[in-house]
Amino acid sequence: MEFRIDGSELTDAVAWAARVLPARSPVPVLGGLLLEARDGRLRVSGLDYEASARIEVEAETVREGRALVLGRRLLDICKVLPKGPVESAIEGARLSVTGGDARFGLSLLPLDDYPAQPELPAFRGVVEADAFAAAVAQVAVAAGRDDSLPVLTGIRLALDGTTMTLAATDRYRYAVRTLEWKPAGDGETGADEAGADVVVPARRLTEIARSLTSAAGPVRLALDGGSIGFESTGTRTTTRLLDGRLPRHDKLFSLGEHAVAVTERAPLVEAVKRVAVVAEGDSPVQLAFAGDAVHLQAGYEDDVASQRLAAALEGAEAMTVAFNPGYLLDALGSFDTDTVRLHLLGPGQRALITDRADGRHQHLLMSVKPLV
């Protein structure tokens, strides 16, 4: 195998495929990246037992062939190569990588021991890459980090007609985002499958969604009972699904009679950050709504901080709630609108934050005991 390629394109392709490689693996070949040069294209593939990634880029193919090398070592080399064209070839038991006056040799791993790349599941439809990535980022902040409860470390992905619902919860907060997508039409693979409701590892889905934005435009979504896949121009990736289901959010998000406070998002974020500098441990940030203002207050022992902001309250003359400042900032930071609406039941009860009346993006928090 021998090929020539621009160094930046090689680095991007290797980085894209290497993100699925395990940090440590008892199976050495799973730390490898498979390079295949053929017909003016270079294909770079990586996998572990949970996920796979494959990308194709243009490259001048001097001699067709395949090579398996340590992926993270190859990525380290790509990052330090001089700018410009790169030449790579199999030379005996090594893969040479040459850029400018720099030359590296990487030991080849045994191809016979490398597992085959998993096939994509059945095609289900397409979704816009940018919209999907934004939606995933908005709900991922609420996903759990405790691996002892694996299902809570995932993001629910539900398909119903032309609506895709993404949701995540760690039991203390719950984020939901809906967006439009285009299901497969009649006669297309997977079109006979009506709807879906699965849980995808949040970390994997976040990485995938972020990486797909470089393609721009529609992304093909593939899904079966055990895995989910995404395909765009020149790229393909899969990941295993998590077992189990997230708790339904319908009843949690139904608040009944409640008050609604509307305020500007960016000033509220800055105010929470400002007063929270005196909060410590589980010390909350208190929001007291009354009239045309909200009064923020935080304190720990004898240290206190406060700030007043403009806000409109409907449905009550006054309302005081308090939140864990980290959770509140995560929630507010997941929105991209100028204003936010806080739907409030009262102190110590559920509170729902939305971006607008249609409720496409909703984030549920539990309020805590207000400051005395």
Side-chain angles (χ1 to χ4, degrees), residues 85-349:
V86 172
E87 297 182 4
S88 183
I90 292 179
E91 299 176 353
R94 288 190 177 91
L95 177 73
S96 68
V97 181
T98 305
D101 296 328
R103 180 179 175 84
F104 299 86
L106 278 174
S107 299
L108 297 174
L109 299 174
L111 282 168
D112 292 342
D113 296 340
Y114 194 64
Q117 283 269 321
E119 295 294 327
L120 273 181
F123 170 60
R124 302 298 298 273
V126 297
V127 62
E128 289 296 321
D130 288 343
F132 180 70
V136 170
Q138 287 176 318
V139 302
V141 296
R145 308 289 189 270
D146 185 356
D147 290 333
S148 65
L149 296 170
V151 71
L152 294 184
T153 66
I155 292 177
R156 177 190 178 213
L157 189 152
L159 306 175
D160 184 10
T162 59
T163 299
M164 175 186 293
T165 300
L166 300 171
T169 180
D170 61 1
R171 294 183 300 177
Y172 305 104
R173 48 203 172 154
Y174 205 137
V176 176
R177 176 72 160 83
T178 59
L179 68 157
E180 294 182 356
W181 82 301
K182 183 180 179 182
D186 293 339
E188 295 184 78
T189 303
D192 56 337
E193 300 286 343
D197 195 339
V198 298
V199 181
V200 189
R203 183 179 64 83
R204 294 285 193 191
L205 190 59
T206 300
E207 291 176 350
I208 290 170
R210 189 184 298 123
S211 71
L212 292 172
T213 58
S214 60
V219 172
R220 292 167 59 89
L221 186 151
L223 183 65
D224 61 21
S227 65
I228 189 169
F230 298 88
E231 186 177 38
S232 61
T233 305
T235 65
R236 172 184 292 189
T237 186
T238 66
T239 189
R240 289 181 181 270
L241 302 173
L242 293 173
D243 292 330
R245 291 286 184 268
L246 293 185
R248 301 289 297 187
H249 65 273
D250 309 68
K251 292 183 178 180
L252 286 173
F253 282 42
S254 180
L255 302 184
E257 186 176 347
H258 63 279
V260 179
V262 181
T263 187
E264 292 187 32
R265 186 184 66 87
L268 180 58
V269 169
E270 292 304 313
V272 173
K273 290 179 179 179
R274 190 169 292 120
V275 302
V277 298
V278 299
E280 212 169 298
D282 296 328
S283 180
V285 169
Q286 177 176 288
L287 285 74
F289 294 92
D292 59 357
V294 55
H295 186 260
L296 285 82
Q297 183 178 349
Y300 183 75
E301 295 183 345
D302 293 331
D303 300 329
V304 294
S306 63
Q307 184 172 344
R308 182 181 181 278
L309 293 176
L313 181 66
E314 301 176 359
E317 291 186 3
M319 178 74 71
T320 298
V321 290
F323 301 100
N324 175 299
Y327 289 171
L328 180 57
L329 287 172
D330 282 346
L332 295 173
S334 69
F335 291 88
D336 56 10
T337 50
D338 292 336
T339 62
V340 288
R341 302 164 63 90
L342 286 81
H343 303 254
L344 307 171
L345 286 172
Q349 300 189 60

